[in-house]
Amino acid sequence: MSRDRCIGIFEETVSKLSCYSACLLALTWFSVEVVLPLQRWLLPSLSPYAIMVYLPFGLIVVVSYLESWKAFVYFLPGAIFVHHVYVDPVFSIFECVSVILVEYNLPILVFVVLDWVLVCDRQSTIESTRSWRILCLGGLLSATGVSIIVHSIERQRIEFDAPSLEVAVQYLIGDFVGFVAFLAFATLCFRLPAKIGRL
């Protein structure tokens, strides 16, 4: 591999790592500092730990779909910082690492399995309408798996007011609604400039 090629790969990695981690931090801040207080005011009966529009999950799913295993590397700095700032200190380091591994690797695994089951290559179908169906199915499966596993880890340390299944369902809804909201916002951001340019 030539020196220029190595430099190009390094610059691309640093660029994506910075961009994705910064977006993760911004979306987490918005979800925790804006969405969650609003939710507690409007829907006080819901669990205070389940954010019903968890936007970072949408970013994680979309980047996992586009970048496959590299997504975990790109998110790692942001994920560590987010968990250091926002995760309850009652959790051990092992539990925090377990949550990070599940939350940022399960969507990658889901899309790998879907590629195998559906006998398709995401990179070859990324421009087609089929890619949207695969992305949404992967988002739903990822939200289901992450909500169940993460909640099972958290309930070892936190006493929830609601039944365990009810809280897990709230996690699932929050992750999937956050995924749909992020997808809608990202689509609007990409299409709006093109429409404005045609005016």
Side-chain angles (χ1 to χ4, degrees):
M1 186 179 293
S2 67
R3 181 172 177 272
D4 289 343
R5 176 63 176 158
C6 290
I7 293 174
I9 293 174
F10 175 77
E11 289 177 345
E12 179 185 4
T13 301
V14 171
S15 174
K16 288 184 176 181
L17 187 148
S18 303
C19 178
Y20 291 144
S21 287
C23 288
L24 179 67
L25 294 175
L27 291 174
T28 302
W29 175 88
F30 184 81
S31 295
V32 175
E33 303 295 343
V34 178
V35 176
L36 186 57
L38 190 61
Q39 172 187 311
R40 287 174 175 171
W41 179 57
L42 294 174
L43 302 167
S45 61
L46 295 178
S47 168
Y49 297 97
I51 303 174
M52 300 312 291
V53 186
Y54 189 61
L55 294 170
F57 186 76
L59 175 68
I60 293 168
V61 171
V62 171
V63 174
S64 297
Y65 177 82
L66 295 174
E67 303 288 356
S68 192
W69 63 269
K70 295 179 184 177
F72 179 71
V73 177
Y74 297 146
F75 281 129
L76 191 56
I80 293 172
F81 185 81
V82 163
H83 279 256
H84 175 72
V85 173
Y86 289 111
V87 171
D88 196 312
V90 300
F91 294 102
S92 67
I93 294 178
F94 174 76
E95 289 165 333
C96 288
V97 170
S98 298
V99 169
I100 289 175
L101 290 175
V102 170
E103 194 170 358
Y104 295 90
N105 281 298
L106 189 59
I108 298 171
L109 180 60
V110 165
F111 285 120
V112 170
V113 172
L114 286 177
D115 277 352
W116 178 72
V117 171
L118 300 175
V119 193
C120 71
D121 177 14
R122 273 169 288 152
Q123 299 306 318
S124 63
T125 62
I126 206 164
E127 299 285 336
S128 69
T129 55
R130 189 185 185 191
S131 65
W132 286 99
R133 293 195 292 269
I134 295 172
L135 181 58
C136 291
L137 177 59
L140 178 59
L141 294 175
S142 299
T144 303
V146 169
S147 62
I148 292 172
I149 298 172
V150 169
H151 176 62
S152 67
I153 295 173
E154 290 185 345
R155 72 178 181 179
Q156 306 299 323
R157 296 282 182 175
I158 299 175
E159 292 186 8
F160 293 94
D161 295 333
S164 184
L165 179 60
E166 182 179 327
V167 177
V169 170
Q170 290 178 21
Y171 273 62
L172 166 60
I173 294 172
D175 284 351
F176 191 69
V177 171
F179 161 70
V180 172
F182 174 81
L183 201 58
F185 175 74
T187 302
L188 182 64
C189 287
F190 280 108
R191 291 186 176 179
L192 189 59
K195 289 184 178 181
I196 293 175
R198 287 196 291 267
L199 294 178

